[in-house]
Structures are given as structure tokens and as C-alpha cells.
Amino acid sequence: MTNYPTMETVELGDELPVMHKRVEEAELFLYSAASFNPHRIHYDRAYAQYEGHQDIVVHGPLQGSWLTQFVTDWAGPRSRLLSVEWQNRASAFVGDELYFSGSVISINQTNGSVELEINERKEDGSLLMPAKATIKLEETK
């Protein structure tokens, strides 16, 4: 994206372009290694099923990282993430098609920030992670 929003162009209710992710086994294994998370439900299918999961479980913090990426990709390199918070409501599993969407819910002209309501959903529309983020956008003046 090259036309990033600015404080002069953003409007209340603007929809962020949907971001799509398909979860792959290798990515989960690598995230487990990088985050020093040895829990086998994140890379061992047989063990995850033994623990009662339908398949290999996607890490909650990895999904939170994707939500953050979604916001910062939309806002562009000259913006600044002020806050992001999410709640993990349901599990995602390897092979799931995930969709990230959101909209502008408030604009603060005084400090140059916007508040976003964002979420992660499965292909069937079920909500995995509701979230909010506040970001300071670039001013072109």
C-alpha cells in the first residue's frame, strides 16, 4: 500500500483493507522455537489431538502480532502505534484461513491519533480475537 492514511484524509468509519493469512505448520514450529515455547500443541499434531484439540493450535501471541501488523501496515511507516490490546476468544488451528478487518471508530485531531476497532475471524465468520488499537498518523501539513 502506498497511499497511507493521514490525519487530513482519514474519516470516521473508514474500513481497513482486509488482511488474509493461512496458517502453516512450519510457521508455527518456527514461532515456537523463536519464542522459546516448547508446548507441543503448537507443532505436534498427535500431541495436540491427545490434549483434546482438533489440530495444531496457533499461538495467541502470534495472532496478536498479526493484528498489530495489520494495523501498522495500514497506517504506514511514518505512523506510530500508541497502543494495541486484544482478547483471545477462540482457538485457531493449522490450515485455518484467517481474516483481519477493522474500522476507524474515533479521531482525535488534538493529538493526531485515531482509534481502530479490529478483529480476527475464521473463514466461517467466527470471532477469534476482538481488538482495539490507537495509532498516531502522519500529518501532511
Side-chain angles (χ1 to χ4, degrees):
M1 178 180 218
T2 56
N3 293 325
Y4 299 109
T6 65
M7 286 306 293
E8 293 77 26
T9 63
V10 72
E11 294 183 14
L12 197 60
D14 281 354
E15 296 285 328
L16 283 64
V18 174
M19 182 178 83
H20 171 259
K21 291 270 186 193
R22 179 173 164 72
V23 183
E24 303 293 340
E25 286 183 57
E27 186 172 18
L28 298 182
F29 177 80
L30 292 170
Y31 189 82
S32 287
S35 63
F36 301 102
N37 184 342
H39 200 322
R40 291 170 51 192
I41 64 170
H42 299 300
Y43 60 86
D44 182 330
R45 177 170 283 111
Y47 185 79
Q49 291 171 339
Y50 170 78
E51 288 285 321
H53 302 285
Q54 70 186 44
D55 208 334
I56 299 170
V57 181
V58 180
H59 310 73
L62 178 56
Q63 294 173 77
S65 296
W66 290 334
L67 281 164
T68 303
Q69 174 193 2
F70 171 62
V71 169
T72 57
D73 283 355
W74 169 77
R78 294 187 174 187
S79 64
R80 188 170 52 137
L81 182 67
L82 300 177
S83 69
V84 64
E85 58 186 60
W86 64 83
Q87 297 175 353
N88 195 348
R89 298 269 178 92
S91 296
F93 301 97
V94 71
D96 280 348
E97 301 283 340
L98 305 177
Y99 295 87
F100 300 81
S101 61
S103 62
V104 176
I105 59 171
S106 73
I107 300 171
N108 185 329
Q109 293 291 348
T110 305
N111 69 6
S113 69
V114 297
E115 186 177 10
L116 306 170
E117 184 171 272
I118 53 179
N119 62 71
E120 173 195 23
R121 294 181 184 273
K122 288 188 178 184
E123 190 171 21
D124 66 6
S126 59
L127 181 64
L128 296 174
M129 287 189 158
K132 285 194 176 181
T134 304
I135 196 148
K136 185 170 180 59
L137 293 177
E138 176 184 12
E139 293 184 45
T140 58
K141 292 180 183 176

